Amino acid sequence: MNIQFRENSEAASPLTTKTAIADCDIHPARATRTELYPYLAKRWQHHLEVYGVHAYQGMMEGPPYPKAQPNASRRDAYPPEGGPQGSSLSFMQKQLLDPNNVQLGVLNPLNTGQGIRNHELSAALCSAINDWQIDKWTSKDKRLKASIVVGNEDGLSAAAEIRERAGDKNFVQVLLLSRNVEPLGQRRYWPIYQAAEEAGLPVGVHAFGFGGNPITPSGWPSYYIEEMVGHSQCQQSALASLVLEGVFERFPKLKMVMIEAGFGWAPSLAWRLDKVWQRLRSEVPHVKRPPSEYIREQVWWTTQPMEDPERREDLFDVINWIGWDRLLFATDYPHWDYDEPSRVLPAGVSEANRSAFYLGNAKQLYGIA
Amino acid sequence: MARHVIAAVDELPPGTRKFLEIDGRPIAVFNIKGEYFGLMNRCPHQGAALCEGPLIGLAQSRDPGEIEYTKLGEIIRCPWHGWEFDIRTGQSYCDPRRFRVKAYPAHVEPGASVVKGPYVAETIAVKVESDYVVVEL
């Protein structure tokens, strides 16, 4: 590799904002393959060594990375002490939290044990990840808050994990992925929504997952760039399912966060849903109100990736439909499509909206004083 | 235009780069197969330290299925978002209309002329018998 770094390459860009912000999508990584073992029963350590994990999705031989950059991450995010990007708290503090004045950082660990065929193993790995998030991250830096990772394909064990963590201030949301075995509104996932609603925790739906289905509705694509844009198609299906299966009607206090799938498509999806709902309402009589109403009342959106149209007015039109109170700023650190806080919002946004966008909405949604 | 001596030629062999700050500006100077190029070390897109990225070639295609890979080692790829810039010109291959990274002329001067000036050479011990990489800023 012909990569060379400056000696002070951990220093942030000189253009960072000093305004306090929330970062609602940070990806902590494990430094070693066995870093979770202290949180796993011997039985599961043994299982992993002998049998490994058995995912729903084929083509998992080797990691699905690099994608665009090593580990799909910024090339300047390798911790000086070694290990993959995102695996060092001190380096994360130095590169992300301190220079950007991050007041609240929401952790969304990936590759956790979700989407594994052996549901007991899936539950054990998710629980281990949750313990690890407290031990390694949230107990060591009060700015960081964790997401409860759950064995998503088994609604009952997932709900049990949520109930066990409910009330623990280390956690601020439940984490699901967009690509599951079935669309997210289906009954098998309802115990998750019920437990989350009872616990008063939003459910974050992060792009990705290995549910065994192609990312596009028309099959497996050839290129990574198709996967990148496929995330929003995937998220649209998940959201339509949540609305049309009646999840929002059944759990009216449930709050969902759409993470890392864009938001420019939200108005058109809602418009399409409303239009067909007017004609086909009797098929889904449990959907009592126009779909757009549920979406606008119960859905929040993280900003990375943010649509970047040529005319900033087009972006403002979309946000005005969604609501300036519904967007949660996110960097996606340490991943390569990271958004720099000082560069994402065009000029022409009022101070009140900027402050809601960067911090206020997140503090309110996640209940951070 | 001030001229800055930034390294003795021996310190910057082909395939290497040197990071420095001149007049508060982050700069990187590259030796590409014996030619020297200076670039602003800041991506015009979102401000990453552009010059820490890998040096790659330029993939181009006239028709689907036909790929030409040229300019090997002459394209810098941003460590964050992968935007590609030509080291020789600072031109962007992602959005050449709107984005260009500032390029600074860099070349080699013999020690005898460096000693005569006008150069700024604060950190380099200059010897008359050596050659030096000089950046114009």
Side-chain angles (χ1 to χ4, degrees):
Chain A
M1 293 298 266
N2 55 9
I3 317 258
Q4 293 159 9
F5 294 98
R6 289 174 301 160
E7 273 177 24
N8 62 339
S9 71
E10 72 274 15
S13 143
L15 295 167
T16 50
T17 176
K18 295 297 169 208
T19 315
I21 62 168
D23 184 347
C24 296
D25 192 21
I26 299 175
H27 297 293
R30 278 154 281 175
T32 63
R33 185 181 67 84
T34 54
E35 195 169 298
L36 286 187
Y37 278 19
Y39 313 102
L40 275 176
K42 275 273 181 286
R43 181 256 184 285
W44 292 119
Q45 296 177 26
H46 177 79
H47 185 103
L48 287 175
E49 296 293 336
V50 177
Y51 303 103
V53 296
H54 189 191
Y56 285 96
Q57 186 152 329
M59 297 194 277
M60 284 288 286
E61 189 68 28
Y65 301 107
K67 290 178 171 177
Q69 307 274 28
N71 294 317
S73 293
R74 283 169 45 169
R75 282 181 185 264
D76 59 353
Y78 285 105
E81 66 266 41
Q85 301 93 328
S87 64
S88 158
L89 172 63
S90 61
F91 191 59
M92 184 187 285
Q93 290 166 330
K94 206 166 170 181
Q95 191 170 48
L96 175 72
L97 303 178
D98 297 343
N100 291 309
N101 196 8
V102 175
Q103 199 175 98
L104 164 65
V106 181
L107 301 176
N108 291 320
L110 300 175
N111 304 314
T112 53
Q114 296 186 311
I116 291 177
R117 285 173 188 263
N118 181 327
H119 289 178
E120 283 78 24
L121 174 61
S122 178
L125 278 168
C126 290
S127 186
I129 283 276
N130 294 333
D131 288 337
W132 168 83
Q133 288 188 85
I134 298 175
D135 266 14
K136 182 168 173 178
W137 304 95
T138 60
S139 67
K140 301 221 162 62
D141 190 320
K142 293 297 174 196
R143 292 171 290 187
L144 295 176
K145 294 291 178 185
S147 296
I148 305 174
V149 179
V150 296
N152 55 318
E153 299 302 344
D154 177 9
L156 293 177
S157 76
E161 180 72 16
I162 295 166
R163 293 201 169 93
E164 197 175 309
R165 308 283 177 178
D168 181 338
K169 294 294 179 200
N170 287 294
F171 295 97
V172 293
Q173 77 180 346
V174 174
L175 185 65
L176 296 176
L177 299 176
S178 59
R179 299 172 66 184
N180 303 278
V181 168
E182 291 178 288
L184 267 182
Q186 301 208 357
R187 302 280 169 123
R188 65 191 290 164
Y189 306 111
W190 283 24
I192 300 172
Y193 308 130
Q194 185 175 354
E197 188 188 50
E198 281 167 20
L201 291 168
V203 174
V205 179
H206 190 285
F208 293 93
F210 299 98
N213 301 305
I215 189 161
T216 83
S218 45
W220 296 98
S222 304
Y223 303 112
Y224 178 46
I225 189 170
E226 292 177 277
E227 186 176 322
M228 289 296 290
V229 295
H231 292 306
S232 52
Q233 301 164 26
C234 214
Q235 207 91 342
Q236 291 187 52
S237 313
L239 184 54
S241 170
L242 287 161
V243 172
L244 297 174
E245 297 275 356
V247 169
F248 292 123
E249 178 64 35
R250 175 72 182 74
F251 306 105
K253 291 192 184 119
L254 183 65
K255 296 171 176 174
M256 306 287 295
V257 188
M258 298 287 124
I259 304 172
E260 204 181 334
F263 51 80
W265 46 266
S268 76
L269 175 71
W271 294 330
R272 276 180 284 146
L273 281 170
D274 280 2
K275 185 163 183 173
V276 289
W277 175 80
Q278 286 161 355
R279 293 152 171 74
L280 305 175
R281 200 194 52 80
S282 60
E283 186 189 19
V284 285
H286 52 272
V287 181
K288 294 181 182 147
R289 297 188 286 145
S292 62
E293 287 189 19
Y294 298 104
I295 291 173
R296 294 171 97 159
E297 285 170 22
Q298 290 179 257
V299 179
W300 279 252
W301 314 80
T302 66
T303 59
Q304 196 295 313
M306 250 181 91
E307 278 79 1
D308 191 11
E310 273 182 54
R311 284 168 11 103
R312 63 179 181 169
E313 288 75 15
D314 293 342
L315 178 69
F316 295 156
D317 283 346
V318 168
I319 297 180
N320 285 334
W321 185 91
I322 291 174
W324 279 97
D325 59 339
R326 293 291 150 147
L327 291 178
L328 310 169
F329 174 73
T331 65
D332 195 26
Y333 180 89
H335 291 162
W336 73 270
D337 38 358
Y338 170 87
D339 264 349
E340 172 69 19
S342 60
R343 300 281 191 116
V344 292
L345 208 53
V349 181
S350 75
E351 193 42 48
N353 285 342
R354 286 182 77 84
S355 133
F357 174 95
Y358 278 115
L359 183 63
N361 297 339
K363 283 174 76 171
Q364 193 170 15
L365 176 69
Y366 292 120
I368 305 294
Chain B
M1 185 170 286
R3 308 172 112 199
H4 300 261
V5 179
I6 64 110
V9 160
D10 295 348
E11 286 174 54
L12 199 60
T16 64
R17 65 193 87 168
K18 177 166 181 172
F19 298 100
L20 59 152
E21 197 168 296
I22 304 177
D23 293 345
R25 272 174 269 192
I27 311 275
V29 177
F30 298 79
N31 180 340
I32 311 286
K33 300 165 198 152
E35 288 184 272
Y36 299 88
F37 302 98
L39 277 188
M40 173 82 97
N41 186 21
R42 186 185 292 151
C43 184
H45 170 228
Q46 285 201 355
L50 172 68
C51 298
E52 290 182 13
L55 287 165
I56 59 170
L58 182 67
Q60 288 175 299
S61 175
R62 265 174 308 198
D63 284 306
E66 274 183 37
I67 292 170
E68 254 195 329
Y69 198 59
T70 58
K71 294 181 183 273
L72 199 58
E74 298 178 15
I75 305 293
I76 187 88
R77 188 170 191 271
C78 180
W80 287 3
H81 305 108
W83 284 45
E84 297 165 2
F85 297 89
D86 193 322
I87 294 211
R88 290 174 182 275
T89 60
Q91 184 206 321
S92 154
Y93 277 94
C94 304
D95 193 350
R97 211 162 36 88
R98 286 197 301 162
F99 288 96
R100 159 181 291 277
V101 63
K102 175 83 178 140
Y104 299 99
H107 55 269
V108 173
E109 295 265 358
S113 82
V114 170
V115 168
K116 271 190 268 165
Y119 294 97
V120 185
E122 288 162 12
T123 55
I124 310 291
V126 170
K127 285 182 293 187
V128 171
E129 63 268 24
S130 299
D131 289 339
Y132 296 93
V133 181
V134 170
V135 172
E136 293 181 25
L137 195 65

